[in-house]
Amino acid sequence: MLYLLEPPIWEGKESIMRVDDDGLLQALHEGMFETPLWSGFLNRLRAKTGARFTTLIFRPVEEEAVVELYAGDPPSTEVRKLFADGEMRDPFPYRTMRPDRAYSLKELIDPTDARQQAYYEKAMLPQGLTKMRSIRVTEPGGIDLWLGCSGGREIGSATGALLTALAPHLRIALRSFATLERERFRSSVTGQAFDRLKMGWLSLDVGCRIMDATDNVEQLFQWGTLLRRGRYDRLVPASPNIDRMLTALLKDFAVNRDARPKAFNLSKDPWVEMLVTPVQAPAFAGSQTPAAIVYISGDRRSQADRCEQLVDLFGLLPSEARLAWMLAQATTISEAADALGLTVETARNYSKKIYAKTGARGHAELVRIILTSVLAIS
């Protein structure tokens, strides 16, 4: 057992405390996966210390955004009204607290500070919070944490010693939480980028069963007919030919992780395609490694919608926009003319006007301008 390096202290119901009994440390490290966050830890700490109120506060160093978690009886209606009306905000100088040191309420209140005295008298006294122990923990990534226990006479130095002993564990929990939040943010931004670029991915096992998929691919299953989730979560392309080729490709990937990726066009209007690649990186221990990752890139808008946008974006005539969109699909001018029912000469005349209006100096540059314009994320 890990004991606090302090002689026994008796203060009300408190005596020397251990940080590793009653599941306190386990609750601390599991708290980031709870809803609400750290509710089990705060309730255990409250029961262990006899506090009426326990709080866990997160605040980025450069921002005023605050995440405050608590356990205990909710504030009275009168106290809640003080905060709701904006009359009362916690004025204690938490930023000046030395990290890893437990502070008492007397150490945080400046007797000459009228705001601090008013907060104590109007917000804390009505709740019976006359004693407090609070500790600050910092994290290199720029987030501070404060853990506090508030109550009456029983909140004394033994609680402060407990908080001090918890500091190294709080720092680990804080770094883990900060890392998790950063990865969650990055994942959210990445997901938005994939969605903006009309891209998504899913993973398949050797039997063509879907193991995981991004949200936008799940939406594709719902509103589209090109791909669907079949029985036993099998990925089913609308084209039987593509289904057969995909099945054979996954069997090949299962025995040859260095096989070449293969692209499939699922639709030309709207344009939807997928790239099937073998998985070379191993999965986490104990989990099944997929046979392939499928990247899906597509357009939710029809060719007619895109032509209207080209008219708005480059000032093209509708007939010019239709030809420009066809040329952007990397078709030749003769193929585009045939598809649109134009003579090659008429298509060439249109193309000159298209190049002038878009600033393109040739077919290749026209493809680049259109496909990298705001149409790509509209």
Side-chain angles (χ1 to χ4, degrees):
M1 295 292 186
L2 175 62
Y3 292 87
L4 303 182
L5 300 178
E6 181 174 308
I9 298 172
W10 292 89
E11 207 173 292
K13 297 180 180 179
E14 287 194 316
S15 63
I16 192 167
M17 299 181 185
R18 296 175 298 183
V19 299
D20 59 346
D21 62 358
D22 303 325
L24 191 62
L25 290 183
Q26 181 178 346
L28 171 61
H29 293 297
E30 291 178 349
M32 70 181 71
F33 306 107
E34 290 182 313
T35 303
L37 294 168
W38 279 284
S39 58
F41 169 71
L42 289 173
N43 279 299
R44 284 180 183 273
L45 182 63
R46 180 171 173 250
K48 187 180 184 70
T49 61
R52 292 190 59 188
F53 207 70
T54 52
T55 58
L56 190 58
I57 301 173
F58 298 90
R59 177 182 287 147
V61 172
E62 301 297 333
E63 301 176 20
E64 287 302 315
V66 176
V67 176
E68 182 172 359
L69 313 168
Y70 69 89
D73 297 330
S76 66
T77 303
E78 292 76 12
V79 172
R80 287 201 302 271
K81 189 173 184 300
L82 287 173
F83 286 95
D85 293 344
E87 179 183 336
M88 192 65 64
R89 290 291 181 268
D90 187 344
F92 295 152
Y94 295 114
R95 290 288 188 194
T96 63
M97 293 169 60
R98 192 170 75 235
D100 302 347
R101 176 185 180 276
Y103 285 74
S104 68
L105 184 59
K106 288 183 178 180
E107 292 176 293
L108 294 175
I109 295 181
D110 181 354
T112 65
D113 190 316
R115 290 180 62 249
Q116 293 181 11
Q117 289 293 329
Y119 180 82
Y120 174 69
E121 293 171 3
K122 293 183 179 181
M124 298 190 71
L125 275 180
Q127 301 180 79
L129 305 180
T130 59
K131 301 287 184 180
M132 183 175 74
R133 286 293 188 275
S134 181
I135 192 169
R136 174 191 180 195
V137 174
T138 61
E139 184 266 335
I143 298 179
D144 282 2
L145 170 153
W146 290 267
L147 176 63
C149 299
S150 307
R153 296 176 57 187
E154 71 274 11
I155 304 300
S157 55
T159 297
L162 174 63
L163 297 185
T164 301
L166 280 171
H169 305 282
L170 287 167
R171 188 173 298 105
I172 294 171
L174 176 59
R175 294 190 69 175
S176 300
F177 178 66
T179 300
L180 184 65
E181 286 299 293
R182 282 191 288 269
E183 289 304 315
R184 183 179 290 133
F185 175 77
R186 291 180 62 183
S187 177
S188 174
V189 173
T190 301
Q192 292 175 34
F194 265 73
D195 195 45
R196 287 282 187 181
L197 293 171
K198 316 299 186 298
M199 293 187 67
W201 62 265
L202 56 88
S203 57
L204 300 175
D205 68 9
V206 68
C208 207
R209 288 180 291 270
I210 301 168
M211 301 175 63
D212 196 5
T214 55
D215 291 341
N216 49 2
V217 172
E218 292 289 353
Q219 293 172 5
L220 175 66
F221 294 152
Q222 295 174 14
W223 60 258
T225 58
L226 302 175
L227 295 170
R228 64 181 177 87
R229 186 188 287 267
R231 291 185 64 187
Y232 309 111
D233 289 329
R234 188 180 186 279
L235 179 67
V236 182
S239 165
N241 186 44
I242 292 179
D243 192 9
R244 287 191 293 271
M245 289 191 291
L246 179 61
T247 301
L249 188 63
L250 290 173
K251 291 180 179 178
D252 183 32
F253 285 174
V255 296
N256 182 13
R257 296 287 181 178
D258 295 322
R260 291 181 58 187
K262 185 172 179 60
F264 297 90
N265 179 261
L266 303 177
S267 170
K268 294 186 181 298
D269 187 16
W271 188 272
V272 181
E273 57 195 5
M274 69 179 184
L275 179 68
V276 186
T277 65
V279 173
Q280 297 176 334
F284 288 112
S287 62
Q288 183 182 1
T289 300
I293 302 294
V294 180
Y295 299 94
I296 299 175
S297 176
D299 198 341
R300 295 191 182 98
R301 297 183 181 273
S302 67
Q303 178 176 319
D305 292 331
R306 291 310 186 191
C307 290
E308 289 180 5
Q309 290 176 323
L310 287 173
V311 169
D312 296 334
L313 190 59
F314 298 108
L316 302 177
L317 296 175
S319 55
E320 296 167 351
R322 288 191 290 272
L323 178 62
W325 185 251
M326 290 294 295
L327 293 176
Q329 311 309 310
T331 57
T332 65
I333 196 164
S334 58
E335 291 171 337
D338 185 57
L340 295 173
L342 303 173
T343 65
V344 174
E345 185 62 29
T346 300
R348 291 188 189 281
N349 289 332
Y350 284 174
S351 68
K352 293 176 183 178
K353 297 177 182 178
I354 292 169
Y355 294 151
K357 292 178 181 180
T358 60
R361 289 172 293 185
H363 189 180
E365 189 169 4
L366 177 68
V367 172
R368 180 186 62 78
I369 288 174
I370 292 179
L371 296 186
T372 60
S373 68
V374 294
L375 298 186
I377 59 173
S378 64

